[in-house]
Amino acid sequence: MRAYYLPHLKELEAEAIFVIREVVAQFERPALLFSGGKDSIVLSHLAKKAFYPAKIPFPLIHIDTGHNFPETIAFRDALVEKLGVQLIMGSVQESIDKGRVREETGVNASRNALQTVTLLDTLEEYKIDAAMGGARRDEEKARAKERFFSHRDEFGQWDPKNQRPELWNLFNGRKHMGEHFRVFPISNWTEMDVWQYILKEQIELPSLYFSHERDCIVRDGVILAHSEYITLKPEEKVERMVVRYRTCGDMPITGAVLSEANTLEMIIEEVATTRTTERGTRADDKRGETAMEDRKKQGYF
Protein backbone atom coordinates (compact mmCIF):
# COMPACT_ATOMS: atom_id res chain seq x y z
CA MET A 1 0.00 0.00 0.00
CA ARG A 2 1.40 3.38 -1.01
CA ALA A 3 2.06 6.02 1.63
CA TYR A 4 -0.64 8.26 0.11
CA TYR A 5 -3.35 5.94 1.47
CA LEU A 6 -2.12 5.29 5.01
CA PRO A 7 -4.74 6.88 7.33
CA HIS A 8 -2.58 6.66 10.46
CA LEU A 9 -0.25 9.31 9.00
CA LYS A 10 -3.09 11.83 9.23
CA GLU A 11 -3.57 10.91 12.89
CA LEU A 12 0.13 11.32 13.64
CA GLU A 13 0.20 14.62 11.79
CA ALA A 14 -2.80 15.93 13.73
CA GLU A 15 -1.25 14.88 17.04
CA ALA A 16 2.06 16.59 16.24
CA ILE A 17 0.38 19.80 15.10
CA PHE A 18 -1.71 19.81 18.29
CA VAL A 19 1.45 19.53 20.41
CA ILE A 20 3.20 22.32 18.47
CA ARG A 21 0.21 24.64 18.90
CA GLU A 22 0.04 23.74 22.59
CA VAL A 23 3.67 24.79 23.00
CA VAL A 24 3.01 28.19 21.45
CA ALA A 25 -0.06 28.60 23.67
CA GLN A 26 1.73 27.72 26.93
CA PHE A 27 5.21 29.18 26.53
CA GLU A 28 6.55 32.68 25.96
CA ARG A 29 9.73 31.94 23.99
CA PRO A 30 9.58 28.56 22.23
CA ALA A 31 12.04 27.43 19.56
CA LEU A 32 12.61 24.47 17.27
CA LEU A 33 15.89 22.57 17.51
CA PHE A 34 17.03 22.06 13.92
CA SER A 35 19.83 19.65 13.03
CA GLY A 36 19.23 19.46 9.29
CA GLY A 37 18.24 15.81 9.65
CA LYS A 38 15.01 14.30 8.31
CA ASP A 39 13.17 14.43 11.65
CA SER A 40 13.80 18.12 12.26
CA ILE A 41 12.92 18.83 8.62
CA VAL A 42 9.61 17.02 9.08
CA LEU A 43 9.06 18.98 12.30
CA SER A 44 9.62 22.28 10.50
CA HIS A 45 7.14 21.14 7.82
CA LEU A 46 4.57 20.37 10.53
CA ALA A 47 5.19 23.76 12.15
CA LYS A 48 4.57 25.44 8.81
CA LYS A 49 1.27 23.56 8.50
CA ALA A 50 0.29 24.38 12.08
CA PHE A 51 0.31 28.14 11.52
CA TYR A 52 -0.28 28.52 7.77
CA PRO A 53 -0.83 31.01 6.15
CA ALA A 54 1.08 32.88 8.87
CA LYS A 55 4.82 32.27 9.22
CA ILE A 56 6.26 29.96 11.86
CA PRO A 57 6.10 32.08 15.06
CA PHE A 58 9.35 30.89 16.62
CA PRO A 59 13.04 30.63 15.62
CA LEU A 60 15.00 27.59 14.56
CA ILE A 61 18.08 26.78 16.65
CA HIS A 62 21.04 24.96 15.13
CA ILE A 63 24.00 23.91 17.27
CA ASP A 64 26.93 24.03 14.86
CA THR A 65 29.74 21.68 15.86
CA GLY A 66 31.92 22.72 12.93
CA HIS A 67 32.05 19.08 11.86
CA ASN A 68 28.80 19.01 9.89
CA PHE A 69 28.28 17.58 6.43
CA PRO A 70 28.46 20.47 3.90
CA GLU A 71 25.26 19.19 2.32
CA THR A 72 23.42 19.63 5.63
CA ILE A 73 24.53 23.24 6.09
CA ALA A 74 23.61 24.17 2.51
CA PHE A 75 20.18 22.60 2.93
CA ARG A 76 19.65 24.37 6.28
CA ASP A 77 20.39 27.79 4.82
CA ALA A 78 18.11 27.24 1.82
CA LEU A 79 15.24 26.01 4.01
CA VAL A 80 15.50 28.91 6.46
CA GLU A 81 15.32 31.36 3.57
CA LYS A 82 12.36 29.51 2.07
CA LEU A 83 10.44 29.46 5.38
CA GLY A 84 11.34 33.06 6.23
CA VAL A 85 12.16 32.20 9.84
CA GLN A 86 14.87 33.38 12.22
CA LEU A 87 17.89 31.08 12.58
CA ILE A 88 19.78 31.08 15.88
CA MET A 89 23.16 29.37 15.79
CA GLY A 90 25.17 28.13 18.74
CA SER A 91 28.82 27.45 17.95
CA VAL A 92 30.75 24.61 19.61
CA GLN A 93 33.98 26.17 18.31
CA GLU A 94 33.07 29.36 20.15
CA SER A 95 32.46 27.34 23.33
CA ILE A 96 35.92 25.80 22.93
CA ASP A 97 37.53 29.21 22.33
CA LYS A 98 35.88 30.60 25.47
CA GLY A 99 37.07 27.66 27.57
CA ARG A 100 33.52 26.48 28.25
CA VAL A 101 34.41 23.00 26.96
CA ARG A 102 37.60 21.13 26.17
CA GLU A 103 38.01 19.48 22.78
CA GLU A 104 38.64 15.75 22.77
CA THR A 105 41.87 14.39 21.31
CA GLY A 106 42.86 11.09 19.71
CA VAL A 107 41.60 9.08 16.76
CA ASN A 108 38.12 8.67 18.27
CA ALA A 109 37.70 12.32 19.22
CA SER A 110 34.24 13.80 18.73
CA ARG A 111 32.52 17.11 19.37
CA ASN A 112 29.17 15.43 19.92
CA ALA A 113 29.21 15.57 23.72
CA LEU A 114 30.41 19.18 23.64
CA GLN A 115 27.11 20.23 22.05
CA THR A 116 25.34 20.01 25.40
CA VAL A 117 27.10 23.01 26.92
CA THR A 118 26.66 25.04 23.72
CA LEU A 119 22.96 24.17 23.59
CA LEU A 120 22.32 25.10 27.23
CA ASP A 121 24.26 28.37 26.82
CA THR A 122 22.23 29.20 23.70
CA LEU A 123 18.90 28.45 25.39
CA GLU A 124 19.89 30.65 28.33
CA GLU A 125 21.14 33.50 26.14
CA TYR A 126 17.89 33.69 24.18
CA LYS A 127 15.66 32.88 27.20
CA ILE A 128 14.10 29.88 25.44
CA ASP A 129 11.56 28.22 27.71
CA ALA A 130 10.48 25.38 25.38
CA ALA A 131 12.77 23.75 22.83
CA MET A 132 11.01 21.42 20.40
CA GLY A 133 12.99 18.55 18.90
CA GLY A 134 12.45 15.75 16.40
CA ALA A 135 13.38 12.87 18.71
CA ARG A 136 11.22 9.75 18.51
CA ARG A 137 10.67 6.98 21.05
CA ASP A 138 11.67 4.23 18.61
CA GLU A 139 15.15 5.68 18.01
CA GLU A 140 16.88 4.53 21.19
CA LYS A 141 15.91 3.12 24.60
CA ALA A 142 16.62 6.41 26.42
CA ARG A 143 14.37 8.25 23.96
CA ALA A 144 11.56 5.84 24.83
CA LYS A 145 11.47 7.22 28.39
CA GLU A 146 10.62 10.75 27.25
CA ARG A 147 7.16 12.30 27.49
CA PHE A 148 5.89 14.86 24.97
CA PHE A 149 6.65 17.64 27.47
CA SER A 150 9.99 16.79 29.08
CA HIS A 151 10.89 18.98 32.05
CA ARG A 152 14.45 20.27 32.54
CA ASP A 153 15.64 21.78 35.82
CA GLU A 154 17.53 25.06 36.25
CA PHE A 155 20.74 23.30 35.19
CA GLY A 156 19.13 21.96 32.00
CA GLN A 157 19.20 18.41 33.32
CA TRP A 158 16.62 15.66 32.85
CA ASP A 159 15.41 13.23 35.51
CA PRO A 160 13.75 10.20 33.85
CA LYS A 161 12.21 9.18 37.20
CA ASN A 162 10.51 12.53 37.71
CA GLN A 163 8.18 13.13 34.77
CA ARG A 164 4.66 14.47 34.67
CA PRO A 165 1.65 12.40 33.64
CA GLU A 166 0.09 13.22 30.27
CA LEU A 167 -3.37 11.68 30.53
CA TRP A 168 -5.82 12.52 27.73
CA ASN A 169 -3.15 14.67 26.04
CA LEU A 170 -3.21 17.25 28.81
CA PHE A 171 0.25 18.82 29.07
CA ASN A 172 1.57 20.54 32.17
CA GLY A 173 4.02 23.25 31.15
CA ARG A 174 4.34 24.91 34.55
CA LYS A 175 7.90 25.64 35.59
CA HIS A 176 10.02 27.71 37.95
CA MET A 177 12.30 30.51 36.85
CA GLY A 178 15.37 29.17 35.06
CA GLU A 179 13.75 25.87 34.11
CA HIS A 180 12.63 24.91 30.62
CA PHE A 181 11.02 22.12 28.65
CA ARG A 182 12.08 19.96 25.75
CA VAL A 183 9.06 19.02 23.65
CA PHE A 184 8.90 16.13 21.16
CA PRO A 185 5.85 16.43 18.86
CA ILE A 186 6.69 13.34 16.78
CA SER A 187 7.45 11.06 19.73
CA ASN A 188 4.96 8.44 18.58
CA TRP A 189 6.26 8.26 15.01
CA THR A 190 8.49 5.44 13.77
CA GLU A 191 11.26 5.71 11.19
CA MET A 192 8.89 4.14 8.67
CA ASP A 193 6.19 6.69 9.52
CA VAL A 194 8.66 9.52 8.89
CA TRP A 195 9.66 8.18 5.48
CA GLN A 196 6.09 7.49 4.43
CA TYR A 197 5.08 11.00 5.50
CA ILE A 198 8.01 12.50 3.58
CA LEU A 199 6.80 10.63 0.49
CA LYS A 200 3.18 11.65 1.03
CA GLU A 201 4.05 15.33 1.52
CA GLN A 202 6.90 15.33 -1.01
CA ILE A 203 9.25 16.97 1.50
CA GLU A 204 12.70 17.88 0.22
CA LEU A 205 15.73 16.36 1.97
CA PRO A 206 19.51 16.75 1.84
CA SER A 207 21.16 14.55 -0.78
CA LEU A 208 22.89 12.58 2.00
CA TYR A 209 19.76 10.50 2.51
CA PHE A 210 19.91 9.13 -1.02
CA SER A 211 22.43 6.72 -2.53
CA HIS A 212 25.65 8.40 -3.69
CA GLU A 213 29.37 7.73 -4.03
CA ARG A 214 31.64 8.86 -1.19
CA ASP A 215 35.16 8.23 0.09
CA CYS A 216 34.76 6.21 3.28
CA ILE A 217 36.61 4.22 5.90
CA VAL A 218 35.39 1.31 7.99
CA ARG A 219 36.03 1.71 11.73
CA ASP A 220 34.79 -0.85 14.26
CA GLY A 221 32.25 -2.06 11.73
CA VAL A 222 30.89 1.45 11.06
CA ILE A 223 31.21 3.11 7.64
CA LEU A 224 32.37 6.70 8.16
CA ALA A 225 32.86 9.45 5.60
CA HIS A 226 36.50 10.33 5.09
CA SER A 227 37.03 13.99 5.96
CA GLU A 228 39.49 16.45 7.45
CA TYR A 229 37.89 15.81 10.84
CA ILE A 230 39.00 12.16 10.99
CA THR A 231 42.47 10.93 11.92
CA LEU A 232 43.15 7.65 10.17
CA LYS A 233 44.50 4.67 12.07
CA PRO A 234 47.50 2.97 10.43
CA GLU A 235 45.44 0.00 9.24
CA GLU A 236 42.56 2.07 7.84
CA LYS A 237 42.20 2.60 4.10
CA VAL A 238 40.02 5.07 2.23
CA GLU A 239 37.64 3.35 -0.19
CA ARG A 240 35.09 4.67 -2.67
CA MET A 241 31.67 3.32 -1.68
CA VAL A 242 28.04 3.71 -2.72
CA VAL A 243 26.25 4.68 0.48
CA ARG A 244 23.45 6.71 2.01
CA TYR A 245 22.67 7.95 5.52
CA ARG A 246 19.70 7.06 7.72
CA THR A 247 20.50 9.81 10.21
CA CYS A 248 22.54 13.01 9.95
CA GLY A 249 25.02 14.05 12.61
CA ASP A 250 28.69 14.97 12.72
CA MET A 251 30.89 13.53 9.99
CA PRO A 252 33.31 11.71 12.36
CA ILE A 253 30.53 9.79 14.17
CA THR A 254 27.67 9.28 11.72
CA GLY A 255 27.73 5.92 10.03
CA ALA A 256 26.53 5.30 6.49
CA VAL A 257 24.94 2.18 5.06
CA LEU A 258 25.74 0.51 1.76
CA SER A 259 22.73 1.23 -0.39
CA GLU A 260 21.47 1.66 -3.93
CA ALA A 261 18.28 3.40 -2.73
CA ASN A 262 18.09 6.70 -4.60
CA THR A 263 14.34 7.33 -4.42
CA LEU A 264 11.89 7.65 -1.53
CA GLU A 265 10.10 4.49 -2.64
CA MET A 266 13.36 2.52 -2.61
CA ILE A 267 14.29 3.90 0.82
CA ILE A 268 10.91 2.87 2.27
CA GLU A 269 11.36 -0.64 0.86
CA GLU A 270 14.86 -0.78 2.36
CA VAL A 271 13.73 0.44 5.80
CA ALA A 272 10.94 -2.17 5.80
CA THR A 273 13.46 -5.01 5.53
CA THR A 274 16.29 -3.77 7.75
CA ARG A 275 16.84 -5.15 11.25
CA THR A 276 19.17 -2.40 12.45
CA THR A 277 17.93 0.76 14.13
CA GLU A 278 18.80 4.03 12.42
CA ARG A 279 21.07 5.00 15.33
CA GLY A 280 22.76 1.59 15.19
CA THR A 281 25.51 3.13 13.06
CA ARG A 282 26.13 6.15 15.30
CA ALA A 283 29.62 5.82 16.83
CA ASP A 284 28.71 8.15 19.72
CA ASP A 285 26.03 5.71 20.91
CA LYS A 286 28.59 2.90 21.12
CA ARG A 287 30.63 4.51 23.90
CA GLY A 288 28.57 2.74 26.55
CA GLU A 289 25.27 0.97 27.12
CA THR A 290 23.78 4.11 28.67
CA ALA A 291 25.60 6.64 26.49
CA MET A 292 22.47 8.39 25.24
CA GLU A 293 20.71 8.47 28.61
CA ASP A 294 23.81 9.84 30.33
CA ARG A 295 24.04 12.66 27.78
CA LYS A 296 20.33 13.43 28.05
CA LYS A 297 20.53 13.72 31.84
CA GLN A 298 23.22 16.37 31.32
CA GLY A 299 21.08 18.39 28.93
CA TYR A 300 21.63 16.76 25.52
CA PHE A 301 18.92 16.84 22.82
Side-chain angles (χ1 to χ4, degrees), residues 9 22 39 46 49 105 148 158 168 229 247 251 290 298:
L9 293 180
E22 191 71 13
D39 298 317
L46 290 164
K49 275 196 162 189
T105 59
F148 280 106
W158 171 63
W168 306 291
Y229 312 124
T247 177
M251 295 188 75
T290 60
Q298 295 166 5

Side-chain angles (χ1 to χ4, degrees), residues 42-266:
V42 165
L43 197 55
S44 66
H45 179 82
L46 290 164
K48 179 183 177 181
K49 275 196 162 189
F51 302 103
Y52 185 84
K55 290 185 178 180
I56 297 174
F58 42 76
L60 272 54
I61 295 179
H62 179 233
I63 303 303
D64 185 1
T65 64
H67 290 175
N68 299 285
F69 286 90
E71 297 94 328
T72 302
I73 299 301
F75 185 91
R76 177 203 68 189
D77 294 342
L79 182 63
V80 167
E81 183 177 357
K82 182 179 178 180
L83 293 175
V85 296
Q86 177 189 4
L87 175 65
I88 295 173
M89 286 199 298
S91 169
V92 172
Q93 183 61 57
E94 187 174 317
S95 297
I96 294 171
D97 295 340
K98 289 181 177 179
R100 293 282 293 141
V101 293
R102 180 180 297 178
E103 185 149 29
E104 295 180 5
T105 59
V107 293
N108 293 313
S110 166
R111 286 188 172 182
N112 190 57
L114 309 187
Q115 294 181 81
T116 299
V117 171
T118 307
L119 172 62
L120 294 176
D121 286 350
T122 303
L123 296 179
E124 182 177 1
E125 178 182 354
Y126 289 90
K127 308 300 179 186
I128 302 299
D129 54 2
M132 289 176 279
R136 309 185 323 271
R137 294 191 180 109
D138 77 319
E139 285 184 271
E140 202 271 345
K141 56 188 177 183
R143 301 282 200 203
K145 298 179 181 180
E146 292 274 20
R147 303 287 172 86
F148 280 106
F149 276 36
S150 185
H151 177 262
R152 296 298 196 270
D153 64 21
E154 64 271 27
F155 301 106
Q157 297 181 333
W158 171 63
D159 181 0
K161 296 181 180 179
N162 183 25
Q163 298 193 77
R164 299 171 182 180
E166 294 179 344
L167 302 176
W168 306 291
N169 280 347
L170 296 175
F171 304 116
N172 182 357
R174 294 183 181 180
K175 61 180 180 59
H176 296 293
M177 184 177 292
E179 299 175 343
H180 73 277
F181 278 79
R182 305 289 173 83
V183 182
F184 306 105
I186 62 171
S187 288
N188 287 334
W189 298 42
T190 65
E191 182 186 10
M192 179 63 81
D193 293 330
V194 170
W195 282 113
Q196 289 175 334
Y197 186 75
I198 290 170
L199 174 60
K200 173 181 176 293
E201 298 288 304
Q202 289 296 291
I203 300 173
E204 294 184 20
L205 294 176
S207 58
L208 291 170
Y209 283 106
F210 301 92
S211 178
H212 60 281
E213 287 191 0
R214 186 178 290 271
D215 288 336
C216 301
I217 65 168
V218 179
R219 177 174 294 176
D220 299 325
V222 177
I223 301 173
L224 299 174
H226 178 55
S227 70
E228 60 184 301
Y229 312 124
I230 286 186
T231 301
L232 294 179
K233 298 179 181 179
E235 68 277 10
E236 290 176 338
K237 296 181 180 179
V238 178
E239 303 178 57
R240 195 73 173 171
M241 300 182 182
V242 178
V243 299
R244 74 172 192 88
Y245 290 84
R246 294 175 66 189
T247 177
C248 285
D250 277 5
M251 295 188 75
I253 60 171
T254 305
V257 293
L258 297 173
S259 174
E260 298 286 344
N262 56 14
T263 67
L264 291 173
E265 289 85 355
M266 292 176 69

